[in-house]
Amino acid sequence: MPELSRRALIATGVGGSAVLAMSQWNEAVAAEGPFVHGVASGDPLPNAIILWTRVTPSAAAKPGSGVGPDVSVEWEVATSAAFTTIVASGTTVAGAGTDHTVHVDAAGLTPATAYWYRFRALGVTSPVGRTKTAALASASVPVRFGVTSCANFNWGYFTGYKYLAQQDNLDAVLHLGDYIYEYAPGGVLTDDIPKVVRTAEPQRECLTLTDYRIRHGHYKLEPNLQLLHARHPMVAVWDDHEIANDTWKNGAENHDPATEGDWATRASAGRRAWLEWLPVRHTDPDDWYRINRRLRFGKLVDLWMLDERRFRDQPPKSLFFGYGSAGGTSSAPGRGMIGEEQTHWLVDGLAGSSATWKVVGNQVPFYPTTLLANVPGQLTDLLGPQLSKTFEQPLLQLQVEDWNGFIDERQRIVDGMATVDNVVILTGDVHQSYASEIPVKPNKYLLDRKSAAVEFITPGLASPSLPTQINQVAPGVGTLFDAVLTTNDRLANPWVKYSEGLKAGFMVVDFSASRVQADWHHLDSTKPDGAEKIAASYQTASGSKKITKAAGPLS
């Protein structure tokens, strides 16, 4: 392709990213200069925010290269895009040790205020980003989040990021994991399912620090992702694909030590690259890899972001596709997903919070999912405590890689939530849309309808659901499978109030003093010209712990 037309493609949007590969890295540098990866902001506080960029000092200093000189980088924060009033500025250094990424904790800012920021290096000024600080804990102001997860570059275009970037009045975008995927080109259900629409560099599975840095660098060339980062601050956590599918603390489903080396080395590489390439604030000087953290957004929202991979025990064995388990679950004492320390941090924090809404940023589905309805616990209680306890366990579970594989730990958290008003769980991972109440006791919900919290689950941004993948193999069968799952929810999981299993998209969640409303934005396709619409709107009223349909979409 001639250089002029490539420059035009890069400048005008998705088309540039679709054809741009790291093999054309020299052309990318020539076309875009040192700030080819854009700018980003994240983890807003009332008086500070993280600013991020990546500086490319030379064509040779591409992501993962480990080469290139230290570069002095200036940064500025202003009250308008014209930069007539600069309120914070400074100088930092980008070097090969952090893949020439830059993190600035810009402080001294005013709460609940929009700002614009930019960088300068090597005589060039970066694109301008917009961000916003959080409100003071005493301020009663509405809060609105965009919520997204699961963006596989190979399997779909990031069209949803474009529409999410266009949302007004967002205080932050919560990214709940799978920001990148580690896979080599190709499918996972079969060799060519899901269908591959483009491929990310490197053209192999990510195993090393170099691999993960290259993959992050390639994702950051995607114009819609750059647009999202430049428009809104992001609060992010990793899930599994930032390292390998179905990650747990000592391994992963998609890791073979015999052929792929030491797990701890690979895991550290994936986490380090993620921390380098995302606008994340380090909150623990003794633990650089700690990402579970707490942020306050005014009087209304107290936000806990969880780490559900680093401390997780190995999930139980699944029946098929990683989705089913008969019999034993990992509910033995001492086993868990987030570990004792993080569990206490969450449960104690929820109990002590003064915010109206206690919000949990959660990677994988929390609500119970079973394939067969439980005998109501009110009846099994008549059999005595031992038999009643036995009947509390589901006979057949659909999913076990999520919280359904860690029943005892989940129940301890639910018991804590049951004593607290207004807990809202925001979730990603499953590539499907759900609104669910969290029953205090699943086997008693049919008769007592008691719930401890509510959960809203965002669809995948560019990662197809299992029913969608099945449709790619056998058209229509995946849709039938989704209908079967929906019917099962109605019969066996009555706490599920909304589900949709085929569409990609994102959520917008709005918090007021009286209610929380979630709107599901669905795409008709993840192609560059895919259209977006609001497919469903559900809410929970303050003090209710229940989900009802909203009167209409958010304005």
Side-chain angles (χ1 to χ4, degrees):
M1 179 176 293
E3 203 163 304
L4 180 61
S5 63
R6 183 179 300 280
R7 177 189 289 270
L9 282 168
I10 293 170
T12 56
V14 172
S17 176
V19 299
L20 180 63
M22 301 302 280
S23 58
Q24 288 90 39
W25 176 252
N26 289 348
E27 295 182 39
V29 173
E32 296 291 332
F35 295 105
V36 66
H37 293 103
V39 299
S41 67
D43 283 7
L45 302 178
N47 64 348
I49 197 146
I50 298 295
L51 307 179
W52 178 95
T53 193
R54 202 263 179 178
V55 177
T56 302
S58 68
K62 59 187 178 182
S65 66
V67 303
D70 287 353
V71 178
S72 178
V73 184
E74 300 173 7
W75 58 272
E76 295 176 330
V77 179
T79 55
S80 72
F83 284 82
T84 52
T85 303
I86 296 173
V87 297
S89 62
T91 303
T92 188
V93 174
T98 57
D99 210 18
H100 285 95
T101 60
V102 169
H103 292 74
V104 172
D105 200 345
L109 306 179
T110 301
T113 300
Y115 289 101
W116 286 257
Y117 61 96
R118 65 188 179 188
F119 300 87
R120 288 195 188 93
L122 302 172
V124 178
T125 300
S126 74
V128 173
R130 177 196 173 276
T131 192
K132 186 179 181 182
T133 51
L136 288 170
S138 58
S140 296
V141 294
V143 177
R144 184 173 291 193
F145 293 146
V147 183
T148 186
S149 71
C150 304
N152 191 310
F153 187 97
N154 293 358
W155 298 342
Y157 294 94
F158 292 171
T159 310
Y161 283 153
K162 175 182 68 176
Y163 291 113
L164 185 52
Q166 293 170 358
Q167 294 294 310
D168 292 325
N169 303 321
L170 295 186
D171 293 278
V173 170
L174 307 189
H175 200 297
L176 298 174
D178 295 344
Y179 182 93
I180 67 162
Y181 278 67
E182 84 283 9
Y183 292 131
V188 292
L189 189 60
T190 68
D191 288 343
D192 61 351
I193 301 295
K195 298 292 186 183
V196 173
V197 300
R198 54 183 180 171
T199 58
E201 295 294 322
Q203 297 285 308
R204 58 182 179 271
E205 185 174 325
C206 293
L207 298 174
T208 68
L209 180 58
T210 295
D211 292 341
Y212 288 110
R213 284 172 164 175
I214 292 172
R215 184 63 54 89
H216 275 281
H218 195 91
Y219 271 57
K220 277 291 204 301
L221 293 174
E222 223 278 356
N224 289 327
L225 179 54
Q226 287 195 11
L227 182 66
L228 178 66
H229 276 303
R231 184 75 173 89
H232 302 298
M234 180 175 285
V235 181
V237 287
W238 54 52
D239 194 23
D240 54 339
H241 287 289
E242 285 82 357
I243 305 171
N245 183 56
D246 290 358
T247 293
W248 55 288
K249 64 184 177 183
N250 293 325
E253 178 276 330
N254 190 32
H255 180 77
D256 182 357
T259 59
E260 296 177 324
D262 176 63
W263 167 250
T265 301
R266 181 182 185 181
S268 293
R271 290 177 181 131
R272 177 175 172 177
W274 185 90
L275 288 163
E276 290 172 344
W277 282 84
L278 273 289
V280 176
R281 175 180 285 104
H282 295 288
T283 60
D284 188 342
D286 298 321
D287 184 0
W288 195 72
Y289 290 111
R290 177 175 176 172
I291 64 162
N292 60 295
R293 57 205 190 277
R294 182 176 176 181
L295 297 99
R296 188 71 181 256
F297 290 83
K299 193 174 183 179
L300 289 185
V301 173
D302 206 346
L303 173 65
W304 285 259
M305 299 294 284
L306 301 184
D307 183 347
E308 296 174 2
R309 295 293 172 178
R310 192 173 162 212
F311 309 103
R312 161 195 296 241
D313 292 307
Q314 186 173 16
K317 185 67 176 176
S318 300
L319 282 179
F320 62 97
F321 300 136
Y323 278 80
S325 176
T329 66
S330 56
S331 57
R335 291 181 58 81
M337 180 182 290
I338 63 175
E340 287 296 322
E341 181 179 343
Q342 194 175 179
T343 298
H344 286 298
W345 169 78
L346 173 63
V347 173
D348 293 347
L350 292 172
S353 177
S354 62
T356 302
W357 299 100
K358 295 82 177 172
V359 183
V360 181
N362 167 62
Q363 288 94 321
V364 299
F366 191 84
Y367 74 96
T369 308
T370 65
L371 277 175
L372 297 173
N374 286 351
V375 178
Q378 292 87 341
L379 299 180
T380 61
D381 283 350
L382 302 176
L383 302 176
Q386 186 171 352
L387 281 175
S388 179
K389 181 69 174 176
T390 300
F391 276 104
E392 282 187 15
Q393 303 298 317
L395 297 176
L396 188 63
Q397 289 185 263
L398 180 63
Q399 297 163 305
V400 293
E401 208 273 332
D402 60 16
W403 280 98
N404 288 285
F406 301 88
I407 293 176
D408 280 0
E409 185 179 64
R410 180 177 64 188
Q411 190 60 53
R412 291 198 300 272
I413 295 171
V414 169
D415 290 345
M417 290 177 172
T419 67
V420 179
D421 284 336
N422 297 340
V423 177
V424 176
I425 303 167
L426 302 178
T427 300
D429 177 71
V430 77
H431 312 170
Q432 297 174 254
S433 301
Y434 288 95
S436 179
E437 295 168 6
I438 305 300
V440 174
K441 290 285 187 180
N443 66 323
K444 294 186 176 182
Y445 179 89
L446 183 65
L447 298 182
D448 69 19
R449 300 289 164 163
K450 290 183 179 179
S451 58
V454 300
E455 181 175 23
F456 300 132
I457 301 180
T458 186
L461 191 286
S463 298
S465 66
L466 180 60
T468 299
Q469 294 178 54
I470 294 172
N471 273 342
Q472 292 177 359
V473 178
V477 176
T479 303
L480 177 61
F481 179 60
D482 182 60
V484 170
L485 295 181
T486 299
T487 301
N488 180 74
D489 282 338
R490 291 172 181 163
L491 297 175
N493 307 300
W495 42 85
V496 176
K497 305 304 178 182
Y498 166 69
S499 66
E500 197 288 329
L502 297 168
K503 297 294 187 181
F506 58 89
M507 291 192 308
V508 174
V509 184
D510 186 83
F511 300 82
S512 72
S514 61
R515 63 94 182 98
V516 176
Q517 178 170 327
D519 283 0
W520 280 263
H521 293 245
H522 287 167
L523 305 174
D524 62 5
S525 81
T526 59
K527 294 178 181 178
D529 60 352
E532 167 253 6
K533 70 173 184 178
I534 298 175
S537 301
Y538 283 79
Q539 66 180 3
T540 182
S542 180
S544 72
K545 302 186 178 185
K546 295 291 183 180
I547 289 175
T548 59
K549 280 189 175 182
L554 296 166
S555 58

